[in-house]
Amino acid sequence: MRGRFQALALTVAGAGSILFCWLSAAILALVTLRKGVGAGAQLLFWALLPSGVLMYAVGDSGPLMLLVGTGMMAAVLRSSVSLPLALLSSTAVGVLAGLAMLLFGGQYLDQLLAVFSEALATFEQQLSQGGGQAVEIARPTELQIAGLMGAGTAMLATLCLLLARYWQAALYNPGGFGSEFRALRYPPAVALVTVALALLLSSLGMEYRTWAVIALLPMSFAGLSLVHARVRAKGQGSTWLTFFYLAWLLLDPVKLVVMVLAVADSWFDFRRRWAGTDVAGKGD
């Protein structure tokens, strides 16, 4: 925020790096949120040069799509001033990133498939030696890997946007980000559409299940928001959240429960019920 040159230097420096492109994306989002879509678009133009070179040389469109996707989500948030709408646009980001990988990253996908096949072959050999019977594990396809990459790009773009929003609040509105994130909630119609889309994609076969994850990302973050709101309502500390996130990262059933709660919250608005309970409790 000190000046255009500082923002440009940091964004371009990380844009061509697989490890640090997330930092460039977050800076791009911060500039877009604070200075406007025009200033963000100028920054994105220069950041596309190193990320474009990386895509041409290696075939990995991930950094480029992360920058474009985060910039798009930041523009939606800047224009609408709606965090739920901005996070809902992550679905489009994930689909576009997956399609870009299929169209432009054929060589890169082949390399990833070779790595997966080698790892699975080693694992099959170990299982066969231990059990005495030959074990075969289905190999992933290009469509599955592209969907997985798209979901990862959408997830990372969302995290970059949230980081930029946190930076903005820390600089100009301390405490504002926490209140905004804890209020994240979707109406029943949106919840139904996202779940129906995910179920439809899953019904098409294993190849499309990674794409179904993209449709559920907004509801996943709505569920995490609900957990943060519950912790705040109960006055629990950060230690509880740390254990929760460890469980969320390691255990798939926890992810499922969080999404189910987010869908249920669309109808029942648990935050309002908790607030009413807290008020009643204080009056007793």
Side-chain angles (χ1 to χ4, degrees):
M1 291 295 96
R2 288 184 175 180
R4 182 178 300 176
F5 176 78
Q6 288 87 341
L8 179 62
L10 288 171
T11 304
V12 173
S17 169
I18 297 177
L19 293 177
F20 297 104
C21 59
W22 63 270
L23 182 59
S24 297
I27 295 172
L28 169 65
L30 176 61
V31 172
T32 302
L33 293 175
R34 183 62 184 174
K35 301 294 184 179
V37 177
Q42 292 178 4
L43 202 60
L44 177 61
F45 172 79
W46 292 106
L48 290 179
L49 297 178
S51 59
V53 171
L54 182 66
M55 184 180 71
Y56 177 79
V58 183
D60 184 6
S61 61
L64 186 146
M65 289 307 302
L66 176 62
L67 289 166
V68 173
T70 307
M72 183 182 78
M73 293 176 66
V76 172
L77 181 54
R78 167 78 183 194
S79 303
S80 65
V81 199
S82 171
L83 186 61
L85 183 60
L87 266 57
L88 191 61
S89 65
S90 67
T91 301
V93 171
V95 172
L96 291 175
L99 292 176
M101 184 62 67
L102 286 173
L103 293 175
F104 305 110
Q107 182 180 356
Y108 186 69
L109 284 175
D110 290 339
Q111 294 174 356
L112 290 176
L113 287 173
V115 171
F116 277 112
S117 296
E118 184 178 352
L120 290 175
T122 303
F123 188 52
E124 286 174 347
Q125 185 177 6
Q126 294 174 350
L127 291 177
S128 299
Q129 291 176 351
Q133 294 181 344
V135 177
E136 292 186 5
I137 302 176
R139 299 301 193 263
T141 65
E142 288 189 357
L143 188 61
Q144 281 180 292
I145 299 298
L148 183 63
M149 297 292 288
T153 299
M155 170 73 80
L156 192 53
T158 302
L159 292 175
C160 289
L161 178 68
L162 293 177
L163 177 59
R165 193 64 162 177
Y166 169 76
W167 284 343
Q168 184 186 26
L171 289 170
Y172 306 106
N173 182 27
F177 172 76
S179 301
E180 184 179 29
F181 181 71
R182 287 190 296 270
L184 177 62
R185 177 176 170 268
Y186 288 102
V190 174
L192 280 176
V193 169
T194 55
V195 172
L197 180 59
L199 291 175
L200 176 62
L201 289 169
S202 297
S203 67
L204 297 177
M206 287 292 296
E207 288 187 323
Y208 291 91
R209 290 186 180 178
T210 53
W211 294 82
V213 174
I214 300 174
L216 293 174
L217 280 178
M219 297 309 300
S220 296
F221 279 95
L224 295 177
S225 166
L226 184 65
V227 171
H228 279 260
R230 180 62 175 177
V231 169
R232 182 61 176 260
K234 288 295 185 179
Q236 297 169 317
S238 58
T239 302
W240 195 94
L241 279 175
T242 301
F243 283 112
F244 163 76
Y245 273 107
L246 286 174
W248 184 80
L249 288 171
L250 298 175
L251 303 174
D252 287 338
V254 176
K255 297 183 180 69
L256 180 61
V257 169
V258 167
M259 276 191 291
V260 170
L261 288 175
V263 174
D265 182 53
S266 299
W267 274 271
F268 299 109
D269 194 358
F270 294 131
R271 296 169 183 82
R272 180 175 55 82
R273 294 169 179 264
W274 296 335
T277 301
D278 291 342
V279 170
K282 291 178 181 178
D284 291 341

